[in-house]
Amino acid sequence: MKLVVVAVGQRVPVWAEAAYDDYAKRFPPELRLELKAVKTEPRGSKRLEALLAAERARIEAACPKDGRIVALDERGDRVTTAQLSTRLAAWMQDGRDVAFLIGGPDGLDPALREGAHERLRLSDLTLPHAMVRVLLAEQLYRAWSLMVGHPYHRE
């Protein structure tokens, strides 16, 4: 099974890329973490709806076919690490790949956000997009660690 992070924006600081990569390589072969960065739509004189629609098309193209879609959204469900671990176990039982969507500077297209199977909130704080990638990777790794009794997660 794959966990696919689909993130709008291709340039992130070196520290964020290194931190994300560090967590991604820790996952076991049966649960791979993969990043698909999609291009931010150039602003120009386009309306917000047009920008978000263009990004939505790129995001949808990067998502695994028939996968579960989880939109990261400030209005999404608040979950603890233990609850995320429970969800991860259920997703693994389901067997479908899971795509986690991280929007660009203007967020996610409303139709894409509303059409997601689930919406999760990582924090009540506003976080830089590069930090969201790292935080998501770490929390997914921690959720897996908790699920399998790995010593990374200590209660």
Side-chain angles (χ1 to χ4, degrees), residues 88-147:
L88 180 59
W91 296 335
M92 290 178 75
Q93 286 292 320
D94 179 50
R96 292 187 290 166
D97 293 338
V98 181
F100 297 90
L101 311 183
I102 301 172
D106 297 304
L108 292 169
D109 179 83
L112 183 60
R113 186 178 59 240
E114 295 305 316
H117 296 102
E118 298 181 48
R119 286 178 295 287
L120 292 179
R121 144 199 244 125
L122 288 182
S123 174
D124 288 338
L125 302 172
T126 301
L127 302 170
H129 287 84
M131 183 71 76
V132 171
R133 294 177 187 195
V134 175
L135 183 59
L136 177 62
E138 192 280 336
Q139 283 300 297
L140 289 170
Y141 180 72
R142 185 175 295 273
W144 171 80
S145 298
L146 181 59
M147 186 178 75

Side-chain angles (χ1 to χ4, degrees), residues 13-27:
V14 172
W15 64 263
E17 187 174 335
Y20 176 89
D21 290 344
D22 180 60
Y23 285 109
K25 72 181 178 190
R26 296 181 189 195
F27 282 82

